[in-house]
Amino acid sequence: MPDDAKTRLLQAAGPVFADKGFQAATVREICELAGVNVASINYYFGDKERLYVEAVKEARRIKADRTPFPDWPADVAPETRLRQFVETLLTRLLSADAVPWPTRLMMREILDPGSACKELAQEYFRPEFEMLLGILDEMLPPDTPDYRRRQLGFSVVGQCVFYRLAGGVVSALVDEEELSERYDAEDLANHITRFTLAALGRTPPLGRQPSPPAKLRDIVPQESEN
Amino acid sequence: MPDDAKTRLLQAAGPVFADKGFQAATVREICELAGVNVASINYYFGDKERLYVEAVKEARRIKADRTPFPDWPADVAPETRLRQFVETLLTRLLSADAVPWPTRLMMREILDPGSACKELAQEYFRPEFEMLLGILDEMLPPDTPDYRRRQLGFSVVGQCVFYRLAGGVVSALVDEEELSERYDAEDLANHITRFTLAALGRTPPLGRQPSPPAKLRDIVPQESEN
DNA sequence: CTTGCTTTAAAACGATCGTTTAATACAATT
DNA sequence: AATTGTATTAAACGATCGTTTTAAAGCAAG
């Protein structure tokens, strides 16, 4: 027999908590899904909340194992690394339909920080956020203040997590065929990377260059090449 | 002058639902806060869920009244309008500590679409999203496909809502003084607007200029790469 | 004052929650 | 074989949930 009752319980708890949240999830549903008695939760974990904490920790572990960030060789261009970082993050976030529950559970914990899981979420996100800042650093002027680097990192992350956190709104604002055609991880990674690189000046800007009726700007053509 | 029991109930329900969510909020707490009997909810609204729907609707109404988007005169530059749009959105989102509950309640509904409130949220957000797209349109090339305009709009909105949806993570990743100093609505609006305008080419790019252009990589074969 | 209707009040209902209890089955140790 | 400790079970416990019941209080109109 591969799994004992305790691990079966832990495996069953993750999806249920991810689906319904801590309050709405019931111990009876989890136990039934795990095929164990209702008393087992209290026997193995003490109470429902401790099981929840363990489930969040396991979600973190699973997500870190699956879709790990590549450790690039030192000579990879920052543009490429940014692109891969964004796509990895988006793949994690948008895989909710296929392999959902660890991501969903962690998202719940982010939005509604409960118990002692807030610091846990921090310790999980900080190293990856620092990795992103390291990538951006190579493209920023050396005198960029730290708070501005972080705000820039949040701009990148914010564009990504938006599609998960507010996915309901997105799918309500775009029709279904465009949604299935243009909003997978790869396309969104293309867009976000291009948007970010354009803001950093590593790529031609996305807007129209000439602003003919602009009277507030000088007409002197100081922009000349691209 | 003294509100009747029904409106007192509605006013009390909003903050409680916003704080605890639908499941965790109890009718007894709401009734005690409103100073009415527990049976009043069922008398006036039928059941708890119908009261919740009404609370969400009222939150939407309050939020639309407060902090409305300005209707600009026709000759205002799109840069200015974008800046004001972003700051208005951020002010709504980040006022959670001061005037919190309608925003918080709607955020809950976005993240965890319950009942028939999804379409309601859509009808609330669509016109304002279209307003944003109208602003961006003036700065985009005329041949920009529609799906790309929307993705760009989501990039702007995503940067903004991130600070509310993932505010717990943000406050865990930056120390307290930087948080209170650099993360108010005005500073964030500055950053996001600058970031977006730079991506569109309306503003000098944020990155370091002197560096081998990315295009060279495609032309000249670089040294060993995987 | 009575009538008819709306509103408020207290109490209890049935359901379900998380948790505990007490008894049993099993395996290893003495 | 007896004992010890762990694992598992069915059942019940107490608390709390949303909801319903029942009845009384308020109140305008006849």
Side-chain angles (χ1 to χ4, degrees):
Chain A
M1 299 300 285
D3 297 332
D4 59 343
K6 185 173 180 178
T7 63
R8 281 212 320 278
L9 214 36
L10 201 56
Q11 291 170 347
V16 177
F17 280 133
D19 272 344
K20 320 214 170 165
F22 177 76
Q23 284 277 353
T26 70
V27 296
R28 284 177 169 82
E29 180 183 359
I30 295 172
C31 289
E32 189 184 7
L33 192 65
V36 301
N37 192 268
V38 278
S40 302
I41 284 183
N42 305 89
Y43 180 77
Y44 286 108
F45 296 94
D47 57 12
K48 181 190 181 185
E49 187 164 2
R50 233 112 41 139
L51 170 64
Y52 175 75
V53 173
E54 292 304 316
V56 174
K57 287 183 181 176
E58 204 212 357
R60 174 212 172 283
R61 192 184 53 77
I62 290 178
K63 256 193 46 173
D65 289 352
R66 200 150 41 201
T67 61
F69 283 104
D71 54 338
W72 296 277
D75 61 339
V76 178
E79 290 92 343
T80 307
R81 295 202 282 167
L82 176 66
R83 167 58 216 261
Q84 291 185 11
F85 182 93
V86 169
E87 182 164 358
T88 302
L89 180 57
L90 278 169
T91 301
R92 284 188 187 173
L93 292 170
L94 299 183
S95 66
D97 301 325
V99 201
W101 73 264
T103 303
R104 273 182 292 157
L105 183 52
M106 300 206 64
M107 283 297 153
R108 261 189 199 281
E109 226 5 63
I110 294 172
L111 302 165
D112 215 14
S115 304
C117 294
K118 185 175 177 179
E119 51 190 283
L120 182 142
Q122 169 195 354
E123 288 178 6
Y124 169 62
F125 285 111
R126 181 180 288 279
E128 303 185 344
F129 186 65
E130 298 288 345
M131 172 185 296
L132 171 62
L133 293 189
I135 297 172
L136 295 176
D137 257 353
E138 298 184 32
M139 300 187 277
L140 285 174
D143 60 336
T144 306
D146 276 355
Y147 78 92
R148 197 163 290 282
R149 297 170 198 259
R150 271 186 281 270
Q151 286 179 344
L152 237 126
F154 288 139
S155 281
V156 175
V157 177
Q159 290 181 75
C160 296
V161 299
F162 174 77
Y163 292 96
R164 156 128 300 275
L165 297 182
V169 177
V170 172
S171 60
L173 289 180
V174 308
D175 53 284
E176 201 163 337
E177 66 163 301
E178 180 180 324
L179 195 79
S180 65
E181 199 166 338
R182 304 288 185 181
Y183 286 83
D184 57 313
E186 190 184 346
D187 280 323
L188 290 178
N190 276 335
H191 161 69
I192 293 173
T193 307
R194 178 159 34 201
F195 185 85
T196 303
L197 289 179
L200 295 176
R202 315 289 285 202
T203 273
L206 304 174
R208 60 164 78 145
Q209 247 51 340
S211 46
K215 38 196 167 289
L216 58 104
R217 278 296 162 199
D218 45 358
I219 313 182
V220 181
Q222 56 195 16
E223 83 288 346
S224 52
E225 55 83 28
N226 54 341
Chain B
M1 178 178 56
D3 297 329
D4 60 340
K6 185 173 180 177
T7 63
R8 281 213 319 279
L9 214 36
L10 201 56
Q11 291 170 348
V16 176
F17 279 133
D19 271 344
K20 318 209 169 169
F22 177 76
Q23 284 276 353
T26 70
V27 297
R28 284 177 168 81
E29 180 183 0
I30 295 173
C31 289
E32 190 183 5
L33 192 65
V36 302
N37 192 269
V38 278
S40 302
I41 285 183
N42 304 91
Y43 180 77
Y44 285 109
F45 296 94
D47 57 10
K48 180 189 181 185
E49 187 164 2
R50 235 116 34 144
L51 170 64
Y52 176 75
V53 173
E54 292 305 315
V56 174
K57 287 183 182 175
E58 205 212 356
R60 173 210 173 284
R61 193 183 52 77
I62 289 179
K63 256 194 47 172
D65 289 351
R66 199 149 42 201
T67 61
F69 284 103
D71 52 339
W72 297 277
D75 60 339
V76 177
E79 291 91 343
T80 307
R81 296 201 283 166
L82 177 66
R83 166 59 214 260
Q84 290 184 9
F85 182 93
V86 169
E87 182 164 358
T88 302
L89 181 56
L90 278 169
T91 301
R92 283 188 187 174
L93 292 170
L94 299 183
S95 66
D97 301 325
V99 200
W101 74 263
T103 303
R104 274 183 292 157
L105 183 52
M106 299 206 63
M107 282 297 151
R108 259 188 202 282
E109 223 8 60
I110 294 173
L111 301 165
D112 216 12
S115 304
C117 294
K118 186 174 178 178
E119 52 190 282
L120 182 142
Q122 168 195 355
E123 289 177 5
Y124 169 62
F125 285 111
R126 181 181 287 279
E128 303 185 344
F129 187 66
E130 299 288 345
M131 173 185 295
L132 171 63
L133 292 189
I135 297 173
L136 295 176
D137 257 352
E138 299 184 33
M139 300 187 277
L140 286 174
D143 60 337
T144 306
D146 276 355
Y147 76 92
R148 197 164 291 280
R149 299 169 198 258
R150 271 186 281 270
Q151 285 179 345
L152 236 125
F154 288 138
S155 280
V156 175
V157 177
Q159 291 181 75
C160 295
V161 299
F162 174 77
Y163 291 96
R164 155 130 302 274
L165 297 182
V169 177
V170 172
S171 60
L173 289 179
V174 309
D175 52 284
E176 202 163 336
E177 67 164 300
E178 180 180 324
L179 195 79
S180 65
E181 199 165 338
R182 303 287 184 180
Y183 285 82
D184 56 314
E186 188 184 347
D187 280 323
L188 291 178
N190 276 334
H191 161 69
I192 294 173
T193 307
R194 178 159 35 199
F195 186 84
T196 303
L197 290 179
L200 295 176
R202 317 289 284 202
T203 272
L206 304 174
R208 60 165 78 146
Q209 246 54 336
S211 83
K215 307 201 164 180
L216 275 182
R217 191 176 320 282
D218 302 349
I219 303 171
V220 181
Q222 210 89 347
E223 56 256 323
S224 69
E225 200 158 331
N226 302 14

